[in-house]
């Protein structure tokens, strides 16, 4: 298989190697391959295909990283049709943007992916709920 060269912080390499050892992977390449597969199939969930979804997305980044805040604002404008609300808060030394979206899986996954791709973003989390399931009791 082809060999690729990837640059990453030394601390991340150390964590990859420790994870490989702890979980009996053959090495860091296997961990990176598994991580890539997981990322690329993250939104392959039949429950959400062709559904109208509510999504809550949170983004954490260091206070003072203006290029991050600028890019988050750009994305808010680019995805305005999908965003029901947006709130900017501060927790400890972090800026936190919380987005509520109403859209489909493709639009929300694209938005999450673009946020993750911003250099120096610390954390991007999300939850998805099909609109039709809201308020329904789940009987066994
Ligand atoms: Zn802020």
């Amino acid at each position: 298989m082809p060999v690729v060269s990837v640059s990453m912080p030394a601390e991340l390499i150390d964590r990859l190697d420790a994870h490989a050892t702890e979980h009996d992977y053959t090495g860091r390449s296997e961990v990176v391959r598994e991580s890539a597969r997981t990322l690329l199939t993250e939104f392959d969930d039949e429950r959400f295909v062709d559904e109208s979804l509510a999504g809550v997305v949170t983004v954490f980044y260091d206070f003072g990283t203006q290029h991050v805040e600028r890019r988050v604002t750009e994305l808010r404008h680019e995805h305005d049709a999908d965003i029901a609300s947006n709130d900017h808060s501060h927790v400890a030394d972090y800026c936190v943007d919380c987005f509520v979206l109403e859209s489909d899986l493709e639009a929300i996954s694209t938005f999450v992916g673009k946020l993750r791709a911003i250099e120096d973003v610390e954390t991007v989390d999300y939850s998805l709920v099909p609109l039709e399931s809201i308020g329904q009791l789940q009987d066994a």
Side-chain angles (χ1 to χ4, degrees), residues 98-135:
C98 179
F99 294 91
V100 177
L101 295 95
E102 179 181 346
S103 194
D104 59 20
L105 185 61
E106 184 175 347
I108 295 175
S109 64
T110 297
F111 184 67
V112 169
K114 286 181 178 178
L115 289 169
R116 286 180 176 158
I118 300 171
E119 186 174 13
D120 298 322
V121 158
E122 297 291 339
T123 306
V124 178
D125 284 313
Y126 64 89
S127 63
L128 303 174
V129 179
L131 293 179
E132 288 189 0
S133 75
I134 295 174

PDB file of all heavy atoms in Angstrom, residues 98-135:
ATOM      1  N   CYS A  98     -21.740  28.025  20.440  1.00  0.00           N
ATOM      2  CA  CYS A  98     -22.753  26.976  20.425  1.00  0.00           C
ATOM      3  C   CYS A  98     -23.726  27.281  19.285  1.00  0.00           C
ATOM      4  O   CYS A  98     -24.297  28.375  19.248  1.00  0.00           O
ATOM      5  CB  CYS A  98     -23.482  26.921  21.765  1.00  0.00           C
ATOM      6  SG  CYS A  98     -24.774  25.669  21.808  1.00  0.00           S
ATOM      7  N   PHE A  99     -23.849  26.340  18.382  1.00  0.00           N
ATOM      8  CA  PHE A  99     -24.752  26.497  17.231  1.00  0.00           C
ATOM      9  C   PHE A  99     -25.905  25.513  17.357  1.00  0.00           C
ATOM     10  O   PHE A  99     -25.691  24.348  17.689  1.00  0.00           O
ATOM     11  CB  PHE A  99     -24.021  26.191  15.916  1.00  0.00           C
ATOM     12  CG  PHE A  99     -22.933  27.156  15.576  1.00  0.00           C
ATOM     13  CD1 PHE A  99     -21.629  26.916  15.990  1.00  0.00           C
ATOM     14  CD2 PHE A  99     -23.199  28.297  14.836  1.00  0.00           C
ATOM     15  CE1 PHE A  99     -20.614  27.804  15.672  1.00  0.00           C
ATOM     16  CE2 PHE A  99     -22.197  29.186  14.514  1.00  0.00           C
ATOM     17  CZ  PHE A  99     -20.895  28.945  14.931  1.00  0.00           C
ATOM     18  N   VAL A 100     -27.104  25.977  17.074  1.00  0.00           N
ATOM     19  CA  VAL A 100     -28.250  25.076  16.904  1.00  0.00           C
ATOM     20  C   VAL A 100     -28.602  25.114  15.422  1.00  0.00           C
ATOM     21  O   VAL A 100     -28.821  26.191  14.858  1.00  0.00           O
ATOM     22  CB  VAL A 100     -29.449  25.515  17.772  1.00  0.00           C
ATOM     23  CG1 VAL A 100     -30.645  24.607  17.512  1.00  0.00           C
ATOM     24  CG2 VAL A 100     -29.068  25.518  19.249  1.00  0.00           C
ATOM     25  N   LEU A 101     -28.596  23.938  14.808  1.00  0.00           N
ATOM     26  CA  LEU A 101     -28.872  23.854  13.378  1.00  0.00           C
ATOM     27  C   LEU A 101     -30.161  23.079  13.138  1.00  0.00           C
ATOM     28  O   LEU A 101     -30.518  22.178  13.914  1.00  0.00           O
ATOM     29  CB  LEU A 101     -27.727  23.132  12.639  1.00  0.00           C
ATOM     30  CG  LEU A 101     -26.377  23.857  12.643  1.00  0.00           C
ATOM     31  CD1 LEU A 101     -25.501  23.355  13.764  1.00  0.00           C
ATOM     32  CD2 LEU A 101     -25.690  23.685  11.308  1.00  0.00           C
ATOM     33  N   GLU A 102     -30.831  23.426  12.063  1.00  0.00           N
ATOM     34  CA  GLU A 102     -31.975  22.647  11.592  1.00  0.00           C
ATOM     35  C   GLU A 102     -31.715  22.389  10.127  1.00  0.00           C
ATOM     36  O   GLU A 102     -31.797  23.307   9.298  1.00  0.00           O
ATOM     37  CB  GLU A 102     -33.286  23.405  11.795  1.00  0.00           C
ATOM     38  CG  GLU A 102     -34.493  22.631  11.303  1.00  0.00           C
ATOM     39  CD  GLU A 102     -35.792  23.396  11.494  1.00  0.00           C
ATOM     40  OE1 GLU A 102     -35.810  24.408  12.229  1.00  0.00           O
ATOM     41  OE2 GLU A 102     -36.799  22.973  10.899  1.00  0.00           O
ATOM     42  N   SER A 103     -31.356  21.121   9.797  1.00  0.00           N
ATOM     43  CA  SER A 103     -30.989  20.824   8.416  1.00  0.00           C
ATOM     44  C   SER A 103     -30.934  19.311   8.220  1.00  0.00           C
ATOM     45  O   SER A 103     -31.467  18.547   9.032  1.00  0.00           O
ATOM     46  CB  SER A 103     -29.641  21.465   8.094  1.00  0.00           C
ATOM     47  OG  SER A 103     -29.422  21.461   6.695  1.00  0.00           O
ATOM     48  N   ASP A 104     -30.221  18.902   7.157  1.00  0.00           N
ATOM     49  CA  ASP A 104     -30.062  17.469   6.912  1.00  0.00           C
ATOM     50  C   ASP A 104     -28.641  17.024   7.293  1.00  0.00           C
ATOM     51  O   ASP A 104     -27.792  17.841   7.648  1.00  0.00           O
ATOM     52  CB  ASP A 104     -30.385  17.120   5.455  1.00  0.00           C
ATOM     53  CG  ASP A 104     -29.497  17.868   4.464  1.00  0.00           C
ATOM     54  OD1 ASP A 104     -28.410  18.364   4.851  1.00  0.00           O
ATOM     55  OD2 ASP A 104     -29.892  17.959   3.297  1.00  0.00           O
ATOM     56  N   LEU A 105     -28.430  15.718   7.202  1.00  0.00           N
ATOM     57  CA  LEU A 105     -27.161  15.154   7.652  1.00  0.00           C
ATOM     58  C   LEU A 105     -25.975  15.712   6.874  1.00  0.00           C
ATOM     59  O   LEU A 105     -24.937  16.026   7.463  1.00  0.00           O
ATOM     60  CB  LEU A 105     -27.210  13.622   7.514  1.00  0.00           C
ATOM     61  CG  LEU A 105     -26.012  12.862   8.048  1.00  0.00           C
ATOM     62  CD1 LEU A 105     -25.839  13.107   9.543  1.00  0.00           C
ATOM     63  CD2 LEU A 105     -26.168  11.368   7.761  1.00  0.00           C
ATOM     64  N   GLU A 106     -26.126  15.838   5.568  1.00  0.00           N
ATOM     65  CA  GLU A 106     -25.003  16.307   4.756  1.00  0.00           C
ATOM     66  C   GLU A 106     -24.581  17.727   5.153  1.00  0.00           C
ATOM     67  O   GLU A 106     -23.391  18.003   5.317  1.00  0.00           O
ATOM     68  CB  GLU A 106     -25.371  16.259   3.269  1.00  0.00           C
ATOM     69  CG  GLU A 106     -24.192  16.642   2.384  1.00  0.00           C
ATOM     70  CD  GLU A 106     -24.506  16.489   0.898  1.00  0.00           C
ATOM     71  OE1 GLU A 106     -25.522  15.863   0.557  1.00  0.00           O
ATOM     72  OE2 GLU A 106     -23.709  17.020   0.100  1.00  0.00           O
ATOM     73  N   ALA A 107     -25.567  18.602   5.328  1.00  0.00           N
ATOM     74  CA  ALA A 107     -25.242  19.990   5.667  1.00  0.00           C
ATOM     75  C   ALA A 107     -24.593  20.079   7.050  1.00  0.00           C
ATOM     76  O   ALA A 107     -23.605  20.800   7.238  1.00  0.00           O
ATOM     77  CB  ALA A 107     -26.504  20.849   5.621  1.00  0.00           C
ATOM     78  N   ILE A 108     -25.133  19.333   8.013  1.00  0.00           N
ATOM     79  CA  ILE A 108     -24.579  19.411   9.373  1.00  0.00           C
ATOM     80  C   ILE A 108     -23.191  18.778   9.426  1.00  0.00           C
ATOM     81  O   ILE A 108     -22.267  19.327  10.046  1.00  0.00           O
ATOM     82  CB  ILE A 108     -25.538  18.762  10.391  1.00  0.00           C
ATOM     83  CG1 ILE A 108     -26.852  19.569  10.449  1.00  0.00           C
ATOM     84  CG2 ILE A 108     -24.892  18.690  11.778  1.00  0.00           C
ATOM     85  CD1 ILE A 108     -27.932  18.956  11.323  1.00  0.00           C
ATOM     86  N   SER A 109     -23.008  17.649   8.746  1.00  0.00           N
ATOM     87  CA  SER A 109     -21.686  17.014   8.770  1.00  0.00           C
ATOM     88  C   SER A 109     -20.651  17.885   8.063  1.00  0.00           C
ATOM     89  O   SER A 109     -19.490  17.941   8.478  1.00  0.00           O
ATOM     90  CB  SER A 109     -21.730  15.614   8.162  1.00  0.00           C
ATOM     91  OG  SER A 109     -22.062  15.654   6.794  1.00  0.00           O
ATOM     92  N   THR A 110     -21.054  18.579   7.000  1.00  0.00           N
ATOM     93  CA  THR A 110     -20.141  19.492   6.311  1.00  0.00           C
ATOM     94  C   THR A 110     -19.740  20.640   7.239  1.00  0.00           C
ATOM     95  O   THR A 110     -18.558  21.003   7.329  1.00  0.00           O
ATOM     96  CB  THR A 110     -20.798  20.060   5.035  1.00  0.00           C
ATOM     97  OG1 THR A 110     -21.061  18.971   4.146  1.00  0.00           O
ATOM     98  CG2 THR A 110     -19.907  21.081   4.353  1.00  0.00           C
ATOM     99  N   PHE A 111     -20.711  21.175   7.963  1.00  0.00           N
ATOM    100  CA  PHE A 111     -20.430  22.269   8.903  1.00  0.00           C
ATOM    101  C   PHE A 111     -19.463  21.803   9.992  1.00  0.00           C
ATOM    102  O   PHE A 111     -18.466  22.482  10.287  1.00  0.00           O
ATOM    103  CB  PHE A 111     -21.751  22.763   9.506  1.00  0.00           C
ATOM    104  CG  PHE A 111     -21.623  23.947  10.414  1.00  0.00           C
ATOM    105  CD1 PHE A 111     -21.239  25.180   9.932  1.00  0.00           C
ATOM    106  CD2 PHE A 111     -21.911  23.819  11.766  1.00  0.00           C
ATOM    107  CE1 PHE A 111     -21.129  26.277  10.769  1.00  0.00           C
ATOM    108  CE2 PHE A 111     -21.805  24.909  12.618  1.00  0.00           C
ATOM    109  CZ  PHE A 111     -21.407  26.141  12.118  1.00  0.00           C
ATOM    110  N   VAL A 112     -19.720  20.643  10.567  1.00  0.00           N
ATOM    111  CA  VAL A 112     -18.838  20.100  11.615  1.00  0.00           C
ATOM    112  C   VAL A 112     -17.427  19.883  11.057  1.00  0.00           C
ATOM    113  O   VAL A 112     -16.425  20.230  11.696  1.00  0.00           O
ATOM    114  CB  VAL A 112     -19.411  18.784  12.192  1.00  0.00           C
ATOM    115  CG1 VAL A 112     -18.380  18.070  13.069  1.00  0.00           C
ATOM    116  CG2 VAL A 112     -20.683  19.064  12.993  1.00  0.00           C
ATOM    117  N   GLY A 113     -17.337  19.332   9.852  1.00  0.00           N
ATOM    118  CA  GLY A 113     -16.030  19.083   9.249  1.00  0.00           C
ATOM    119  C   GLY A 113     -15.247  20.371   9.009  1.00  0.00           C
ATOM    120  O   GLY A 113     -14.040  20.428   9.248  1.00  0.00           O
ATOM    121  N   LYS A 114     -15.932  21.414   8.550  1.00  0.00           N
ATOM    122  CA  LYS A 114     -15.258  22.697   8.316  1.00  0.00           C
ATOM    123  C   LYS A 114     -14.777  23.311   9.624  1.00  0.00           C
ATOM    124  O   LYS A 114     -13.699  23.911   9.679  1.00  0.00           O
ATOM    125  CB  LYS A 114     -16.198  23.666   7.593  1.00  0.00           C
ATOM    126  CG  LYS A 114     -16.404  23.327   6.126  1.00  0.00           C
ATOM    127  CD  LYS A 114     -17.332  24.340   5.466  1.00  0.00           C
ATOM    128  CE  LYS A 114     -17.518  24.047   3.987  1.00  0.00           C
ATOM    129  NZ  LYS A 114     -18.463  25.017   3.371  1.00  0.00           N
ATOM    130  N   LEU A 115     -15.572  23.177  10.695  1.00  0.00           N
ATOM    131  CA  LEU A 115     -15.136  23.699  11.994  1.00  0.00           C
ATOM    132  C   LEU A 115     -13.899  22.950  12.482  1.00  0.00           C
ATOM    133  O   LEU A 115     -12.942  23.544  12.972  1.00  0.00           O
ATOM    134  CB  LEU A 115     -16.263  23.574  13.023  1.00  0.00           C
ATOM    135  CG  LEU A 115     -17.447  24.525  12.837  1.00  0.00           C
ATOM    136  CD1 LEU A 115     -18.606  24.111  13.742  1.00  0.00           C
ATOM    137  CD2 LEU A 115     -17.048  25.969  13.111  1.00  0.00           C
ATOM    138  N   ARG A 116     -13.899  21.635  12.342  1.00  0.00           N
ATOM    139  CA  ARG A 116     -12.741  20.842  12.784  1.00  0.00           C
ATOM    140  C   ARG A 116     -11.485  21.180  12.004  1.00  0.00           C
ATOM    141  O   ARG A 116     -10.373  21.020  12.518  1.00  0.00           O
ATOM    142  CB  ARG A 116     -13.042  19.354  12.625  1.00  0.00           C
ATOM    143  CG  ARG A 116     -13.988  18.805  13.654  1.00  0.00           C
ATOM    144  CD  ARG A 116     -14.195  17.351  13.386  1.00  0.00           C
ATOM    145  NE  ARG A 116     -15.030  16.712  14.376  1.00  0.00           N
ATOM    146  CZ  ARG A 116     -15.693  15.588  14.162  1.00  0.00           C
ATOM    147  NH1 ARG A 116     -15.606  14.986  13.003  1.00  0.00           N
ATOM    148  NH2 ARG A 116     -16.427  15.053  15.114  1.00  0.00           N
ATOM    149  N   ALA A 117     -11.670  21.591  10.748  1.00  0.00           N
ATOM    150  CA  ALA A 117     -10.517  21.859   9.885  1.00  0.00           C
ATOM    151  C   ALA A 117      -9.839  23.185  10.197  1.00  0.00           C
ATOM    152  O   ALA A 117      -8.758  23.464   9.688  1.00  0.00           O
ATOM    153  CB  ALA A 117     -10.956  21.830   8.416  1.00  0.00           C
ATOM    154  N   ILE A 118     -10.453  24.012  11.053  1.00  0.00           N
ATOM    155  CA  ILE A 118      -9.848  25.298  11.404  1.00  0.00           C
ATOM    156  C   ILE A 118      -8.620  25.046  12.273  1.00  0.00           C
ATOM    157  O   ILE A 118      -8.709  24.383  13.311  1.00  0.00           O
ATOM    158  CB  ILE A 118     -10.844  26.193  12.172  1.00  0.00           C
ATOM    159  CG1 ILE A 118     -12.092  26.472  11.337  1.00  0.00           C
ATOM    160  CG2 ILE A 118     -10.167  27.506  12.588  1.00  0.00           C
ATOM    161  CD1 ILE A 118     -13.195  27.171  12.108  1.00  0.00           C
ATOM    162  N   GLU A 119      -7.489  25.562  11.846  1.00  0.00           N
ATOM    163  CA  GLU A 119      -6.257  25.398  12.610  1.00  0.00           C
ATOM    164  C   GLU A 119      -6.415  26.056  13.979  1.00  0.00           C
ATOM    165  O   GLU A 119      -6.931  27.163  14.076  1.00  0.00           O
ATOM    166  CB  GLU A 119      -5.085  26.022  11.857  1.00  0.00           C
ATOM    167  CG  GLU A 119      -3.742  25.767  12.520  1.00  0.00           C
ATOM    168  CD  GLU A 119      -2.588  26.274  11.674  1.00  0.00           C
ATOM    169  OE1 GLU A 119      -2.834  27.024  10.712  1.00  0.00           O
ATOM    170  OE2 GLU A 119      -1.450  25.919  11.992  1.00  0.00           O
ATOM    171  N   ASP A 120      -6.015  25.373  15.024  1.00  0.00           N
ATOM    172  CA  ASP A 120      -6.025  25.848  16.410  1.00  0.00           C
ATOM    173  C   ASP A 120      -7.378  25.743  17.111  1.00  0.00           C
ATOM    174  O   ASP A 120      -7.507  26.203  18.249  1.00  0.00           O
ATOM    175  CB  ASP A 120      -5.501  27.289  16.537  1.00  0.00           C
ATOM    176  CG  ASP A 120      -4.052  27.413  16.090  1.00  0.00           C
ATOM    177  OD1 ASP A 120      -3.273  26.472  16.366  1.00  0.00           O
ATOM    178  OD2 ASP A 120      -3.702  28.418  15.448  1.00  0.00           O
ATOM    179  N   VAL A 121      -8.385  25.158  16.462  1.00  0.00           N
ATOM    180  CA  VAL A 121      -9.619  24.843  17.185  1.00  0.00           C
ATOM    181  C   VAL A 121      -9.298  23.725  18.167  1.00  0.00           C
ATOM    182  O   VAL A 121      -8.593  22.773  17.838  1.00  0.00           O
ATOM    183  CB  VAL A 121     -10.747  24.406  16.215  1.00  0.00           C
ATOM    184  CG1 VAL A 121     -11.794  23.580  16.933  1.00  0.00           C
ATOM    185  CG2 VAL A 121     -11.403  25.614  15.586  1.00  0.00           C
ATOM    186  N   GLU A 122      -9.782  23.868  19.412  1.00  0.00           N
ATOM    187  CA  GLU A 122      -9.473  22.856  20.425  1.00  0.00           C
ATOM    188  C   GLU A 122     -10.411  21.657  20.344  1.00  0.00           C
ATOM    189  O   GLU A 122      -9.969  20.523  20.353  1.00  0.00           O
ATOM    190  CB  GLU A 122      -9.565  23.478  21.825  1.00  0.00           C
ATOM    191  CG  GLU A 122      -8.566  24.580  22.093  1.00  0.00           C
ATOM    192  CD  GLU A 122      -7.141  24.081  22.184  1.00  0.00           C
ATOM    193  OE1 GLU A 122      -6.941  22.887  22.438  1.00  0.00           O
ATOM    194  OE2 GLU A 122      -6.224  24.894  21.991  1.00  0.00           O
ATOM    195  N   THR A 123     -11.723  21.915  20.337  1.00  0.00           N
ATOM    196  CA  THR A 123     -12.697  20.837  20.405  1.00  0.00           C
ATOM    197  C   THR A 123     -13.942  21.196  19.609  1.00  0.00           C
ATOM    198  O   THR A 123     -14.414  22.326  19.685  1.00  0.00           O
ATOM    199  CB  THR A 123     -13.140  20.592  21.877  1.00  0.00           C
ATOM    200  OG1 THR A 123     -11.984  20.379  22.670  1.00  0.00           O
ATOM    201  CG2 THR A 123     -14.059  19.386  21.985  1.00  0.00           C
ATOM    202  N   VAL A 124     -14.452  20.240  18.856  1.00  0.00           N
ATOM    203  CA  VAL A 124     -15.754  20.380  18.200  1.00  0.00           C
ATOM    204  C   VAL A 124     -16.582  19.165  18.589  1.00  0.00           C
ATOM    205  O   VAL A 124     -16.166  18.030  18.358  1.00  0.00           O
ATOM    206  CB  VAL A 124     -15.633  20.456  16.658  1.00  0.00           C
ATOM    207  CG1 VAL A 124     -17.027  20.558  16.022  1.00  0.00           C
ATOM    208  CG2 VAL A 124     -14.748  21.616  16.234  1.00  0.00           C
ATOM    209  N   ASP A 125     -17.721  19.409  19.221  1.00  0.00           N
ATOM    210  CA  ASP A 125     -18.629  18.322  19.597  1.00  0.00           C
ATOM    211  C   ASP A 125     -19.991  18.596  18.983  1.00  0.00           C
ATOM    212  O   ASP A 125     -20.314  19.735  18.643  1.00  0.00           O
ATOM    213  CB  ASP A 125     -18.786  18.233  21.121  1.00  0.00           C
ATOM    214  CG  ASP A 125     -17.579  17.594  21.781  1.00  0.00           C
ATOM    215  OD1 ASP A 125     -17.124  16.540  21.299  1.00  0.00           O
ATOM    216  OD2 ASP A 125     -17.092  18.173  22.764  1.00  0.00           O
ATOM    217  N   TYR A 126     -20.801  17.552  18.879  1.00  0.00           N
ATOM    218  CA  TYR A 126     -22.134  17.747  18.324  1.00  0.00           C
ATOM    219  C   TYR A 126     -23.073  16.651  18.816  1.00  0.00           C
ATOM    220  O   TYR A 126     -22.628  15.598  19.265  1.00  0.00           O
ATOM    221  CB  TYR A 126     -22.104  17.736  16.783  1.00  0.00           C
ATOM    222  CG  TYR A 126     -21.670  16.405  16.227  1.00  0.00           C
ATOM    223  CD1 TYR A 126     -22.609  15.411  15.966  1.00  0.00           C
ATOM    224  CD2 TYR A 126     -20.340  16.125  15.997  1.00  0.00           C
ATOM    225  CE1 TYR A 126     -22.215  14.181  15.487  1.00  0.00           C
ATOM    226  CE2 TYR A 126     -19.943  14.897  15.517  1.00  0.00           C
ATOM    227  CZ  TYR A 126     -20.880  13.927  15.259  1.00  0.00           C
ATOM    228  OH  TYR A 126     -20.501  12.706  14.800  1.00  0.00           O
ATOM    229  N   SER A 127     -24.353  16.938  18.736  1.00  0.00           N
ATOM    230  CA  SER A 127     -25.365  15.896  18.916  1.00  0.00           C
ATOM    231  C   SER A 127     -26.427  16.128  17.851  1.00  0.00           C
ATOM    232  O   SER A 127     -26.665  17.262  17.425  1.00  0.00           O
ATOM    233  CB  SER A 127     -25.970  15.941  20.314  1.00  0.00           C
ATOM    234  OG  SER A 127     -26.630  17.163  20.518  1.00  0.00           O
ATOM    235  N   LEU A 128     -27.035  15.041  17.393  1.00  0.00           N
ATOM    236  CA  LEU A 128     -28.040  15.095  16.336  1.00  0.00           C
ATOM    237  C   LEU A 128     -29.317  14.429  16.821  1.00  0.00           C
ATOM    238  O   LEU A 128     -29.256  13.402  17.501  1.00  0.00           O
ATOM    239  CB  LEU A 128     -27.549  14.348  15.088  1.00  0.00           C
ATOM    240  CG  LEU A 128     -26.234  14.811  14.462  1.00  0.00           C
ATOM    241  CD1 LEU A 128     -25.835  13.884  13.328  1.00  0.00           C
ATOM    242  CD2 LEU A 128     -26.360  16.235  13.972  1.00  0.00           C
ATOM    243  N   VAL A 129     -30.440  15.021  16.450  1.00  0.00           N
ATOM    244  CA  VAL A 129     -31.735  14.437  16.799  1.00  0.00           C
ATOM    245  C   VAL A 129     -32.662  14.568  15.587  1.00  0.00           C
ATOM    246  O   VAL A 129     -32.851  15.683  15.088  1.00  0.00           O
ATOM    247  CB  VAL A 129     -32.380  15.181  18.003  1.00  0.00           C
ATOM    248  CG1 VAL A 129     -33.729  14.564  18.337  1.00  0.00           C
ATOM    249  CG2 VAL A 129     -31.464  15.178  19.196  1.00  0.00           C
ATOM    250  N   PRO A 130     -33.229  13.449  15.101  1.00  0.00           N
ATOM    251  CA  PRO A 130     -34.245  13.571  14.049  1.00  0.00           C
ATOM    252  C   PRO A 130     -35.438  14.345  14.592  1.00  0.00           C
ATOM    253  O   PRO A 130     -35.933  14.034  15.686  1.00  0.00           O
ATOM    254  CB  PRO A 130     -34.622  12.116  13.736  1.00  0.00           C
ATOM    255  CG  PRO A 130     -33.463  11.301  14.214  1.00  0.00           C
ATOM    256  CD  PRO A 130     -32.929  12.048  15.413  1.00  0.00           C
ATOM    257  N   LEU A 131     -35.916  15.331  13.826  1.00  0.00           N
ATOM    258  CA  LEU A 131     -37.008  16.168  14.324  1.00  0.00           C
ATOM    259  C   LEU A 131     -38.252  15.336  14.641  1.00  0.00           C
ATOM    260  O   LEU A 131     -38.967  15.614  15.601  1.00  0.00           O
ATOM    261  CB  LEU A 131     -37.349  17.260  13.305  1.00  0.00           C
ATOM    262  CG  LEU A 131     -36.258  18.312  13.084  1.00  0.00           C
ATOM    263  CD1 LEU A 131     -36.700  19.324  12.030  1.00  0.00           C
ATOM    264  CD2 LEU A 131     -35.899  19.013  14.383  1.00  0.00           C
ATOM    265  N   GLU A 132     -38.516  14.299  13.835  1.00  0.00           N
ATOM    266  CA  GLU A 132     -39.709  13.480  14.067  1.00  0.00           C
ATOM    267  C   GLU A 132     -39.644  12.694  15.371  1.00  0.00           C
ATOM    268  O   GLU A 132     -40.665  12.260  15.889  1.00  0.00           O
ATOM    269  CB  GLU A 132     -39.933  12.510  12.902  1.00  0.00           C
ATOM    270  CG  GLU A 132     -40.412  13.204  11.655  1.00  0.00           C
ATOM    271  CD  GLU A 132     -40.845  12.218  10.578  1.00  0.00           C
ATOM    272  OE1 GLU A 132     -40.769  11.001  10.817  1.00  0.00           O
ATOM    273  OE2 GLU A 132     -41.258  12.686   9.514  1.00  0.00           O
ATOM    274  N   SER A 133     -38.446  12.511  15.902  1.00  0.00           N
ATOM    275  CA  SER A 133     -38.310  11.710  17.128  1.00  0.00           C
ATOM    276  C   SER A 133     -38.451  12.558  18.385  1.00  0.00           C
ATOM    277  O   SER A 133     -38.589  12.017  19.484  1.00  0.00           O
ATOM    278  CB  SER A 133     -36.959  11.002  17.158  1.00  0.00           C
ATOM    279  OG  SER A 133     -35.929  11.935  17.474  1.00  0.00           O
ATOM    280  N   ILE A 134     -38.435  13.863  18.232  1.00  0.00           N
ATOM    281  CA  ILE A 134     -38.484  14.727  19.415  1.00  0.00           C
ATOM    282  C   ILE A 134     -39.841  14.597  20.094  1.00  0.00           C
ATOM    283  O   ILE A 134     -40.880  14.714  19.448  1.00  0.00           O
ATOM    284  CB  ILE A 134     -38.202  16.198  19.027  1.00  0.00           C
ATOM    285  CG1 ILE A 134     -36.771  16.331  18.503  1.00  0.00           C
ATOM    286  CG2 ILE A 134     -38.400  17.119  20.232  1.00  0.00           C
ATOM    287  CD1 ILE A 134     -36.433  17.701  17.965  1.00  0.00           C
ATOM    288  N   GLY A 135     -39.818  14.323  21.371  1.00  0.00           N
ATOM    289  CA  GLY A 135     -41.047  14.223  22.138  1.00  0.00           C
ATOM    290  C   GLY A 135     -41.685  12.851  22.118  1.00  0.00           C
ATOM    291  O   GLY A 135     -42.663  12.617  22.823  1.00  0.00           O
TER     292      GLY A 135
END
